[in-house]
Amino acid sequence: MSKLKYFIIAGLLRIAGWLSLAGAQRVGRFVGYLVWRLPTKSRQVTDINLSICLPELSDTERAAMSKRSLAQTGMTMLEVPLMWEWPVEKCLGLIRETEGLDLIDEAMAGDKGLILLAPHLGNWELAGLFFSSRYKMAALYSPPNMPEFEDYMIKVRGRLGSELVRGDRRGLARLASILREGGVAGILPDQSPRGKGNAFAPFFGMEVKTMTLVSKLIQRTGANVLITYAERLPDASGFRIVVRETGPGLGDKDPVAATSAMNQAIEQCVREIPEQYQWEYKRMRHRPPGEINPYNPDRVC
């Protein structure tokens, strides 16, 4: 059954890969609007996250943001098959503008490694392709629930030579090695982490479990850190790669100080294009002991 499920999903991805960017975005936008219109879990979680993170919005503004956000998320999901199935040159041809690439050259001067934080903002698959086309790069990933899908994912994401490493002890050692060699490590920093490598730090004003991996890598390797995203431009015209500085403190030995600095950097980027953030993810579900789970008020963490 697992193999059959894989073949069905892989087949659908390949079929979706035949779409144009405009076609994929039209389908994704429709799916997003449908998810928003119906009483879906994604709509519910999006509304809760927006009420927590952007309380300055009125009810009308929040509803409009929710609708735009789910439409943008739908577009992101339908763009994934393009990023995985299209020739790399065609994918990279979608990048119309860049901003802040000089920051990368400065950060990597003197053979220093670089940690690139890529939150779930815009099209992170395209951002990964872009940077792996320019630098020796490794990216941290969590294995999918479907084992057969892992090989496919590694193949398509690594077709420019990017090395995918699991988020286990061996994988983290490999990331540290690449950074010491002056390479680039890509990390999705806004996932709710498992295990013991975490601290509770504010994200849009709410204390949430946050990974301490980035601060540990900085301490072990002396690597610099920047944050990036691929902004979706209007009317299927392409994307803009943006690189930003993160501010001080990500390598602080105090895990709360370090994770607070990282969450602040993510928050600043999200505020630039809030509708393109993945608000339907339950980022706030892991809170300090005794605090209420905002997605299930009857449940205490």
Side-chain angles (χ1 to χ4, degrees):
M1 180 61 72
S2 179
K3 286 187 177 181
L4 176 60
K5 188 177 180 181
Y6 161 72
F7 283 121
I8 292 173
I9 293 175
L12 290 174
L13 285 170
R14 292 188 174 95
I15 292 171
W18 297 341
L19 293 170
S20 64
L21 178 63
Q25 290 187 352
R26 279 195 298 270
V27 174
R29 187 185 300 110
F30 173 77
V31 171
Y33 284 160
L34 195 62
V35 170
W36 180 82
R37 179 65 63 182
L38 299 174
T40 61
K41 184 65 70 174
S42 292
R43 166 72 190 273
Q44 181 184 16
V45 172
T46 296
D47 289 347
I48 290 171
N49 282 336
L50 289 174
S51 67
I52 293 170
C53 299
L54 301 176
E56 66 273 16
L57 298 180
S58 67
D59 291 345
T60 301
E61 291 169 333
R62 191 174 301 122
M65 176 67 75
S66 174
K67 183 178 182 179
R68 293 198 304 273
S69 172
L70 286 165
Q72 292 284 333
T73 296
M75 286 189 270
T76 300
M77 296 303 101
L78 265 292
E79 289 164 2
V80 169
L82 312 189
M83 300 302 103
W84 287 5
E85 291 294 326
W86 279 11
V88 171
E89 295 77 13
K90 188 175 180 181
C91 294
L92 297 179
L94 298 174
I95 298 170
R96 309 302 184 197
E97 305 171 22
T98 61
E99 180 182 342
L101 295 188
D102 56 311
L103 295 174
I104 294 182
D105 296 332
E106 294 171 10
M108 298 184 70
D111 296 324
K112 271 202 167 187
L114 172 65
I115 299 170
L116 261 182
L117 304 179
H120 290 84
L121 182 65
N123 189 321
W124 55 89
E125 292 287 346
L126 180 59
L129 271 181
F130 175 76
F131 290 108
S132 63
S133 74
R134 300 168 67 96
Y135 307 102
K136 178 182 178 182
M137 186 170 178
L140 190 69
Y141 79 100
S142 297
N145 295 328
M146 193 185 310
E148 295 85 358
F149 197 68
E150 185 172 5
D151 290 340
Y152 170 73
M153 186 177 70
I154 291 173
K155 179 182 176 182
V156 295
R157 284 181 170 174
R159 60 194 190 275
L160 280 177
S162 179
E163 182 178 345
L164 270 71
V165 298
R166 284 193 176 206
D168 54 22
R169 182 173 296 181
R170 180 179 296 180
L172 300 184
R174 179 58 184 150
L175 276 188
S177 175
I178 288 170
L179 289 170
R180 291 192 187 99
E181 294 168 2
V184 178
I187 296 176
L188 295 167
D190 53 344
Q191 301 179 86
S192 191
R194 302 172 183 174
K196 299 179 180 179
N198 58 72
F200 289 103
F203 183 60
F204 283 94
M206 179 169 280
E207 299 283 324
V208 295
K209 188 183 289 187
T210 306
M211 65 168 66
T212 56
L213 167 65
V214 174
S215 62
K216 291 176 181 176
L217 285 173
I218 295 171
Q219 293 164 26
R220 290 173 61 181
T221 68
N224 289 314
V225 58
L226 295 169
I227 190 165
T228 186
Y229 60 88
E231 178 184 1
R232 183 175 298 104
L233 300 176
D235 304 319
S237 57
F239 297 85
R240 181 170 73 114
I241 298 291
V242 178
V243 180
R244 296 273 188 253
E245 294 179 305
T246 58
L250 273 77
D252 199 296
K253 292 184 178 179
D254 178 351
V256 175
T259 50
S260 297
M262 185 177 73
N263 281 348
Q264 178 64 26
I266 298 168
E267 182 178 333
Q268 288 174 350
C269 285
V270 171
R271 288 187 181 277
E272 293 182 6
I273 48 169
E275 67 278 0
Q276 293 192 30
Y277 190 59
Q278 191 175 333
W279 290 111
E280 78 279 5
Y281 176 62
K282 294 182 180 180
R283 180 67 183 92
M284 317 291 188
R285 69 184 184 275
H286 293 140
R287 306 201 57 222
E291 297 291 337
I292 293 174
N293 181 338
Y295 312 109
N296 186 353
D298 296 329
R299 187 173 182 179
V300 178
C301 296

